[in-house]
Structures are given as structure tokens and as C-alpha cells.
Amino acid sequence: MGLLERLRKEWFIAGIVLVIAAARLEPDVGVKGGPLKPEITITYIAVSAIFFNSGLSLKTEELTSALMHVKLHLFVQIFTLVFFPTAIWLFLQLLSITPINEWLLKGLQTVGCMPPPVSSAVILTKAVGGNEAAAIFNSAFGSFLLGSSSSVPFTSIFSQLFMTVVVPLIIGQIVRRYIKDWLERRKPPFGTISSCVLLMIIYTTFCDTFANPNIDLDKFSLIIIVFIIFSVQMSFMFLTFLFSTRNNSGFTPADTVAIIFCSTHKSLTLGIPMLKIVFAGYEHLSLISVPLLIYHPAQILLGSLLVPTIKSWMVSRQKALKLTRQPKVPVKIQTSANPKENI
């Protein structure tokens, strides 16, 4: 396979490397308040485009079916809001005897309590080809559920979720009704569009990370925290994979993809305002914020790198399940017309 052909096939991975390198060279371009205005172009326009794209590509029956998949929703919400923070708390009891800064450990605990993000889990699920409708419901519901029960203004959360998720999704569904035949005939590259939007999100996220003065730690602490965060993400992704693929789990391979991303991703958009309210007046607020500021780009980077692997597993698993469900054709034993030849 030639270099150009390889790049064409792995363009998304190459794109991740390029946007991170660009963010490292000129982080001021993509930071909040910078020339790209990500607080508008990403938070509102890009996220709205993601869900409008989903509304166009998803059949109404798929959305309805996902809404009624109660078992999947319970799994994601219980794992995200109960198992995740409990497991992190137990893990931190072990880390408390180490020389790691106690405020960084408190920051790790707050990461465990955060809801899933609205955009990244949906985009990654779509990029793999998983249950996108289920990812949409759980991402929005998790943010709404935790946000409405926290100190963050309820009206602000509800209005932002409604305008960037619900409205674009409904408009996409309405437009789909009028151009359904054209969509089925031309098959627009919805997955590629979502992947391009994700590259924009990765770029602006790393611009904020590289330009953030709060991430000012000694190299040892920074390396340890990054290692812990990646280890936690990989471990929990593996756990959700095991739980959702066991025998008689009731989940399809596409469901498993949505579960992996929705159960392990955490929201920075809702998380930072919550931290500022809960820890208002704390002189160590910047240290408490560091784990979440690292976790957010790490989850996007790790998830993006795993897209080809998870997609390959899902496709092969779907093919295997399809073969097992095909009825077996009975083998007919040919007999001779002469009874003596059959003896």
C-alpha cells in the first residue's frame, strides 16, 4: 500500500496529528475569545450542525426505538453517575497514601461525578457506525439530569441543550421527510462530515489546553495525572465493553459502541461552571480543575484513535451474528433408484 493510499485510508488519524500540532504552534487562534470564536462556532454552531446532521441521517423509527431502549439507558446512567464516581473514590483511597497533590486527587474525584458530554460521544459513536440515536439520548439526558440537580443554573442548561440538541435534531427530521428519496439515492457522507466537525473540536480543545495557565504543574505531577487519566479511561472502556458483550446482555454491537463512549466520557462544558460554583473561594481551584482540563482532550484523542479498531470489531461481530442467525439448510442424502445400490 502506497503512502498516499495509506493517508487516504487513515485521513482521520492524520488529521488528529495535524490539528494538535497546529494547536501547539498557535494556540491563541482557537482559544475562547480568539479569532475562531469557539464559544460560538463550536459551542453553538458546530454542536447544532452535529445534531442537524444526525436528524437528517437517522430514520424516525431508529430514534423512537432508541428512546424505548430502557435497559441501555439505565446501564449508561448507572455506570456514569454511580459506578464511575464510586470506583474513582475507592481508587483515590489508595492514591491518598502517595505523594500526589491532594487537590489534584480531589479534582480526579470531581471528574468522576461529571455527566457525559453532549457532542463528542455522539460524534465518535457515529464515526464508528454505532447506535447514534441512543448516544444522543444518553448524552443529552445525562447532562440535563446532573445539571438540573446541581448548583448550575437550570434555565441556562435547559436552554442551551434545547437550542443546540433538540431543535437541530427536530429540524433535521423535518427536512429528511422532504428529501428522503434523495438521501437514500445519493447517500451523503454523514460520517465524514461528523469526523470533520470532531477535528474542529479537537483543535479548539487543544488550543485551550496549551494556552491554559492553570495547567502549571511540575513535570512529575503532570505525567502522573496524565497516566492515571488515560489508565482510568482505558480501564472503564474495557469494563463497559465486557459488561455489554457478555452472553444474554441484550445489547447489539452498535449498542456496545454507544455504551463505551457515553459511559466513559465527561463534560467539560458543564464541569467547569460546576467546579467554579462548588469550589468558589478555594485558593486551590486551579489545581482541582486540572484533571478535568486534561480528561477532556484525552477522551477525545483516545476515542478518536480507537475509532478504526472499534469499527473493525463491530463490523466483524455483526457479520458473525448475521451468519449464526441464518437458517441451516438441511443436507439431502441422494439415494439410488436401485434398492441394491443403497445397501
Side-chain angles (χ1 to χ4, degrees):
M1 185 183 291
L3 179 60
L4 289 177
E5 188 178 349
R6 184 74 179 178
L7 285 174
R8 192 179 296 112
K9 185 178 180 180
E10 304 292 346
W11 69 271
F12 184 64
I13 302 298
I16 293 174
V17 175
L18 288 175
V19 296
I20 292 176
R24 184 69 183 90
L25 289 173
E26 287 292 339
D28 292 339
V29 175
V31 297
K32 291 181 180 179
L36 288 183
K37 301 291 182 185
E39 64 274 19
I40 298 173
T41 56
I42 298 298
T43 304
Y44 291 97
I45 298 175
V47 173
S48 297
I50 291 167
F51 288 98
F52 175 73
N53 188 26
S54 296
L56 273 180
S57 60
L58 286 171
K59 297 177 182 178
T60 305
E61 311 87 74
E62 292 175 337
L63 283 171
T64 306
S65 176
L67 186 63
M68 301 304 293
H69 202 335
V70 178
K71 186 177 181 179
L72 188 152
H73 306 326
L74 285 174
F75 182 101
V76 172
Q77 299 307 322
I78 290 173
F79 191 96
T80 303
L81 304 177
V82 179
F83 179 85
F84 200 123
T86 303
I88 290 293
W89 181 81
L90 291 172
F91 180 50
L92 292 181
Q93 302 312 301
L94 298 175
L95 292 180
S96 63
I97 61 175
T98 66
I100 301 175
N101 188 293
E102 64 171 312
W103 296 104
L104 289 176
L105 296 182
K106 289 182 184 295
L108 281 173
Q109 181 65 73
T110 62
V111 168
C113 300
M114 294 299 154
V118 173
S119 56
S120 62
V122 175
I123 298 174
L124 289 168
T125 301
K126 187 180 184 69
V128 173
N131 191 337
E132 182 187 353
I136 291 172
F137 177 84
N138 282 283
S139 295
F141 182 75
S143 296
F144 177 79
L145 182 66
L146 191 60
S148 62
S149 61
S150 68
S151 303
V152 181
F154 172 80
T155 306
S156 174
I157 295 170
F158 180 80
S159 60
Q160 183 172 346
L161 287 175
F162 184 77
M163 293 305 297
T164 59
V165 177
V166 180
V167 172
L169 190 66
I170 292 174
I171 293 175
Q173 284 283 287
I174 293 172
V175 173
R176 178 182 171 81
R177 287 190 174 189
Y178 292 97
I179 61 172
K180 183 179 178 181
D181 293 336
W182 181 84
L183 289 172
E184 293 179 353
R185 187 172 62 253
R186 299 300 295 270
K187 299 187 183 304
F190 291 115
T192 303
I193 294 171
S194 293
S195 296
C196 290
V197 175
L198 180 57
L199 288 177
M200 288 177 57
I201 293 174
I202 292 172
Y203 172 69
T204 55
T205 299
F206 273 88
C207 282
D208 278 334
T209 302
F210 291 134
N212 199 312
N214 291 330
I215 304 181
D216 186 20
L217 299 173
D218 59 279
K219 289 184 178 180
F220 173 76
S221 297
L222 187 60
I223 291 171
I224 290 296
I225 288 298
V226 169
F227 175 76
I228 290 172
I229 285 173
F230 272 98
S231 299
V232 165
Q233 287 188 24
M234 287 295 294
S235 299
F236 283 178
M237 290 177 81
F238 184 64
L239 274 178
T240 54
F241 177 80
L242 286 181
F243 290 155
S244 60
T245 55
R246 71 188 190 282
N247 292 334
N248 302 319
S249 67
F251 298 125
T252 66
D255 292 338
T256 295
V257 173
I259 287 170
I260 288 173
F261 291 125
C262 291
S263 300
T264 58
H265 280 213
K266 296 295 181 178
S267 174
L268 179 69
T269 305
L270 186 59
I272 291 300
M274 286 177 65
L275 290 181
K276 288 181 178 178
I277 291 172
V278 174
F279 295 99
Y282 278 66
E283 61 176 317
H284 299 290
L285 176 60
S286 60
L287 282 176
I288 296 172
S289 305
V290 165
L292 183 58
L293 292 170
I294 295 174
Y295 195 98
H296 181 66
Q299 70 188 4
I300 295 175
L301 178 61
L302 182 60
S304 301
L305 292 173
L306 289 175
V307 162
T309 303
I310 298 175
K311 187 172 186 176
S312 177
W313 167 82
M314 189 191 74
V315 172
S316 62
R317 182 63 177 162
Q318 286 174 332
K319 287 180 179 178
L321 288 173
K322 190 175 181 181
L323 288 174
T324 58
R325 289 169 184 167
Q326 288 180 349
K328 293 182 179 180
V329 180
V331 179
K332 294 182 180 180
I333 302 176
Q334 292 184 346
T335 59
S336 172
N338 188 346
K340 292 183 179 181
E341 294 181 12
N342 296 325
I343 298 175

